[in-house]
Amino acid sequence: MRAAGTLYWDVLGLYRDILDGLARIPGGRLDSLGVDTWAVDYGLLGPDGRLLGNPVHYRDDRTASVISDVHAKVSPERLYALNGLQFLPFNTLYQLAADPLADTAEALLLMPDLISYWLTGERGAERTNASTTGLYDAATGEWSREIVEALGLRPELLPALRSPGDPAGRLLPDLGVLPGTPVTAVGSHDTASAIAAVPATGPNFAYISCGTWSLAGVELSEPVLTDAGRAANFTNETGVDGTVRYLRNIMGLWLLQESLRTWNLGTADLPALLDAAADVPALRSVIDPDHPDFFPPGDMPSRITAFCERTGQPVPASPAEIVRCVVDSLALGHRKALRQASALSGLPIEVVHIVGGGSGNALLCQLTADATGLPVTAGPTEATALGNIGVQARAQGLLTDLRPLIAATQPLRHYTPAGPSTPWDGAESRLG
């Protein structure tokens, strides 16, 4: 929600919904609970442990004026050598530089850690989400003292780190729901949980966690901290079991979500639009999904048509044509990111796994297979929830390896590349 020009999360509303959900657990018993959310956003606590202010949404524009100041203290080259993080203007270190409360706060808790703290009274920072802040050393798996000190932050602002599978406390009695239930640290960055549930059967796979964002990359055992990786804007985020999610963020289904909102349509209207889009000529108009014009909330269709006009392409006139432009462009973004991920990491890709909500978008999955020239396996849709549950189940001693179980039990759809890659080669050059 926006108030006085700032975009905030309704974090207390989310917390209330969590408590309401826990109160409805059949039988009133859980063996374990794990919390995952999105990355980079946080709450600041005062000396009394209370939240100092409502967390600001990462799509707020407050960091625009401080990025150059941050880079004057630590160069982009040095930042990448330490944190291996893709430059995104909303990364936590830029948000902190713009946050007037950072100097007086006692502790910073990322969103899943904040919710876990309210549930248990225990503070901590789970590694998969900590690795998205820009304050984390990609090579050592610890907070980067060099970055923290260079930015003038107090080291004690950052809580002790914990890993997926570690205990994170127990539900407090005064919550009134399931008192004493164990809380287990999971891949608290939702993408980390989603990638843990990729039903891969071999090492040479790529993944696309496709939802509001498309996070496209490969899974590695060590970070890639090269200048070439920095120039390509690839990120090294910690995954479950100390793996590295070497990936790039692509704007993703946000483009469709905002278009539907502008047209006063809901997600139930999307299948018919996708059916109509499938009949629109392929690659007639494409956009760069990561162009800054497409980041803020608002009238997405107008921005898409303006981009096409500005780049001398046919201007999509109907919702179906705009939807086709979006899915073609996302497939191109997937193609580019995965080709770069393979080249930069040295990992050959034999199959692409699409997980998350976008795995149910058959047109996008087929276009991704066509664009990459690789077979695509789509599913599971609820990969984040399955990865979260899997880490908890493993911590409880109920299983040892999640991926074979996912591959054997979840409905998966398979897409084979159709036709030559030549049209996609030409379309990529028109992204502007």
Side-chain angles (χ1 to χ4, degrees):
M1 64 176 64
R2 191 175 294 278
T6 299
L7 192 62
Y8 294 101
W9 288 105
D10 181 12
V11 66
L12 294 178
L14 293 173
Y15 180 60
R16 179 194 61 234
D17 290 344
I18 291 169
L19 295 181
D20 288 347
L22 291 175
R24 298 177 186 180
I25 296 295
R29 179 181 177 274
L30 283 179
D31 292 323
S32 175
L33 171 70
V35 181
D36 69 76
T37 76
W38 62 97
V40 306
D41 289 339
Y42 60 87
L44 293 173
L45 304 183
D48 57 0
R50 296 185 182 183
L51 189 65
L52 292 179
N54 212 41
V56 176
H57 196 295
Y58 65 84
R59 291 192 189 272
D60 187 77
D61 62 0
R62 64 175 175 162
T63 64
S65 62
V66 302
I67 291 173
S68 60
D69 294 337
V70 170
H71 290 170
K73 295 175 181 177
V74 191
S75 71
E77 293 80 7
R78 184 57 181 162
L79 280 174
Y80 195 83
L82 292 167
N83 64 28
L85 204 64
Q86 170 185 10
F87 170 74
L88 293 167
F90 50 76
N91 288 340
T92 311
L93 77 168
Y94 303 118
Q95 293 201 50
L96 282 171
D99 195 329
L101 299 175
D103 291 336
T104 57
E106 179 182 79
L108 176 149
L109 293 178
L110 295 164
M111 297 302 291
D113 302 320
L114 176 64
I115 291 169
S116 181
Y117 166 65
W118 283 340
L119 292 173
T120 67
E122 302 287 337
R123 299 181 191 178
E126 191 278 314
R127 280 186 163 85
T128 69
N129 221 331
S131 71
T132 72
T133 63
L135 304 170
Y136 182 90
D137 190 308
T140 67
E142 302 294 334
W143 294 118
S144 171
R145 179 169 291 273
E146 179 178 336
I147 296 175
V148 170
E149 291 181 349
L151 297 181
L153 299 172
R154 290 172 292 105
E156 58 269 23
L157 185 70
L158 304 174
L161 290 158
R162 55 196 179 199
S163 298
D166 289 347
R170 291 178 177 269
L171 292 188
L172 295 167
D174 60 5
L175 296 178
V177 292
L178 308 179
T181 296
V183 177
T184 302
V186 296
S188 69
H189 181 3
D190 52 4
T191 305
S193 281
I195 302 313
V198 167
T201 57
N204 297 338
F205 69 93
Y207 55 79
I208 303 169
S209 180
C210 187
T212 299
W213 292 88
S214 278
L215 298 106
V218 295
E219 186 175 76
L220 304 175
S221 59
E222 299 290 339
V224 179
L225 304 175
T226 61
D227 288 338
R230 183 181 70 84
N233 216 22
F234 265 77
T235 206
N236 296 267
E237 296 175 356
T238 298
V240 172
D241 294 333
T243 56
V244 174
R245 290 176 287 121
Y246 189 58
L247 61 87
R248 187 166 62 224
N249 284 38
I250 303 163
M251 200 68 74
L253 296 177
W254 166 255
L255 300 166
L256 289 182
Q257 293 162 0
E258 284 299 282
S259 295
L260 290 174
R261 195 189 329 268
T262 300
W263 295 325
N264 292 316
L265 299 175
T267 54
D269 300 297
L270 185 56
L273 275 175
L274 288 168
D275 287 344
D279 294 329
V280 174
L283 301 170
R284 181 172 176 266
S285 304
V286 292
I287 60 172
D288 175 3
D290 297 321
H291 193 279
D293 284 356
F294 305 126
F295 181 75
D299 186 350
M300 197 63 69
S302 292
R303 298 176 200 167
I304 290 170
T305 57
F307 185 97
C308 293
E309 184 174 19
R310 187 168 64 246
T311 53
Q313 301 181 84
V315 176
S318 67
E321 290 177 351
I322 288 173
V323 169
R324 182 62 193 234
C325 174
V326 168
V327 292
D328 280 349
S329 301
L330 289 179
L332 276 174
H334 296 164
R335 162 194 159 108
K336 182 177 180 180
L338 295 185
R339 288 188 172 193
Q340 287 183 314
S342 179
L344 292 166
S345 68
L347 181 74
I349 298 173
E350 297 173 358
V351 61
V352 178
H353 287 272
I354 299 182
V355 299
S359 67
N361 187 325
L363 179 58
L364 179 59
C365 292
Q366 182 61 60
L367 292 176
T368 298
D370 296 345
T372 61
L374 293 166
V376 165
T377 297
T381 302
E382 298 297 340
T384 293
L386 290 168
N388 179 320
I389 294 167
V391 168
Q392 294 182 69
R394 193 174 62 179
Q396 296 280 326
L398 300 177
L399 61 85
T400 56
D401 195 350
L402 177 61
R403 283 178 173 161
L405 181 62
I406 296 292
T409 62
Q410 296 302 301
L412 306 175
R413 295 161 300 281
H414 303 279
Y415 299 85
T416 302
S421 63
T422 306
W424 297 94
D425 295 337
E428 192 170 321
S429 66
R430 292 191 272 126
L431 290 181

